[in-house]
Amino acid sequence: LSKPVLVLGAGGHAAVIVDILRQLQVEILGIVATNQPKDTLVFDGIPYFSKDDDVLRFSKDKILLVNGIGSMPGSNIRSALHEFFKQAGYNFMTIVAPSATVSNYTILAEGSQLLPGCIINTNAQIGVSTIVNTGAIIEHDCIIGNHNHVAPGVVLSGGVMTDEYVHIGTGAQVIQNIKIGAYTLIGAGASVTKNLDSNKTLYAAKPFLR
Ligand SMILES: CC(C)(COP(=O)(O)OP(=O)(O)OC[C@H]1O[C@@H](n2cnc3c(N)ncnc32)[C@H](O)[C@@H]1OP(=O)(O)O)[C@@H](O)C(=O)NCCC(=O)NCCS
């Protein structure tokens, strides 16, 4: 069983994560966020702390942190919080939704988060604090870097490798053995058939009417 947790963030991603934590019957000591959690059922009854410093009142040996900040292109809040609290000696819980299908022959790094219905196949590796979002498929032998976001419904064929801080947008597909450089952003719906350098943005081909 996991140690009790504090959840950082109170937006949409945090709500999904709290939902999973409740299914896993993990004790949630509180939500830490600058904005008060929305008045939704999923946050009901969880104590609220308004400052990051409130975390420091909890012993780093007795709790785990859960990063409930979502990861969108161009924002580094999620990874900055991870680095800040790692420096302070805290550890992050690795989360696997009960409905995720995860091979026993995968390596999940600290703080990675596998959301409902995703599939991670044999010999895949998921990096530190990386989100594999709802329904994404990560095929065998993929190596996904640290601080990536694999958005809902993405399909990665076997042997895909990504460097750190890659975002693969909703519904994108990547063929086998492709390599994607750091900070590269794959737009929603794009099909990737060639290796991509770092710091690039790939847009999907646009539909047109005539
Ligand atoms: C690629 C992306 C970052 C584009 O950002 P941007 O350059 O700021 O895009 P804008 O919204 O300014 O749109 C610029 C143009 O690109 C188009 N465009 C936006 N996203 C696109 C995409 N994924 N593929 C193709 N064209 C796209 C827009 O329609 C717009 O076209 P127009 O100039 O003809 O009107 C973004 O749209 C995207 O795909 N983000 C990923 C979303 C995601 O994964 N969400 C997950 C949430 S959990």
Side-chain angles (χ1 to χ4, degrees):
L1 207 67
S2 167
K3 291 178 182 171
V5 301
L6 279 177
V7 176
L8 311 177
H13 186 68
V16 169
I17 290 293
V18 166
D19 189 344
I20 295 168
L21 291 170
R22 287 189 188 277
Q23 292 172 47
L24 295 171
Q25 300 188 322
V26 173
E27 184 186 352
I28 304 170
L29 299 169
I31 290 174
V32 185
T34 43
N35 296 332
Q36 191 131 12
K38 272 195 289 184
D39 188 17
T40 56
L41 215 49
V42 74
F43 292 132
D44 244 20
I46 304 177
Y48 166 63
F49 302 98
S50 61
K51 296 185 300 296
D52 287 349
D53 282 357
D54 289 325
V55 171
L56 307 176
R57 289 160 37 194
F58 294 83
S59 158
K60 49 185 186 277
D61 302 321
K62 297 218 170 79
I63 67 156
L64 290 174
L65 297 181
V66 173
N67 202 334
I69 305 292
S71 153
M72 286 302 284
S75 162
N76 72 345
I77 301 173
R78 178 181 169 85
S79 56
L81 270 182
H82 182 95
E83 299 305 341
F84 177 82
F85 284 112
K86 281 304 288 178
Q87 293 262 319
Y90 288 86
N91 291 312
F92 283 81
M93 182 183 173
T94 299
I95 292 181
V96 179
S99 62
T101 302
V102 183
S103 159
N104 290 333
Y105 303 96
T106 57
I107 297 174
L108 305 180
E110 180 180 350
S112 52
Q113 300 177 337
L114 312 188
L115 269 50
C118 72
I119 300 176
I120 318 284
N121 217 339
T122 316
N123 285 328
Q125 297 181 28
I126 309 296
V128 171
S129 198
T130 283
I131 301 169
V132 181
N133 220 315
T134 313
I137 295 176
I138 299 202
E139 263 306 337
H140 62 88
D141 300 301
C142 285
I143 300 181
I144 307 305
N146 298 339
H147 305 288
N148 279 210
H149 182 183
V150 180
V154 164
V155 179
L156 304 184
S157 309
V160 169
M161 287 174 69
T162 68
D163 209 326
E164 56 184 9
Y165 299 99
V166 168
H167 178 99
I168 307 183
T170 302
Q173 305 132 41
V174 184
I175 69 164
Q176 68 281 358
N177 300 328
I178 290 292
K179 293 186 173 57
I180 300 172
Y183 296 95
T184 278
L185 163 50
I186 297 172
S191 287
V192 185
T193 59
K194 294 201 165 70
N195 293 341
L196 296 173
D197 287 341
S198 50
N199 293 297
K200 299 285 184 233
T201 300
L202 181 77
Y203 290 77
K206 281 203 190 155
F208 61 91
L209 291 168
R210 63 175 181 184

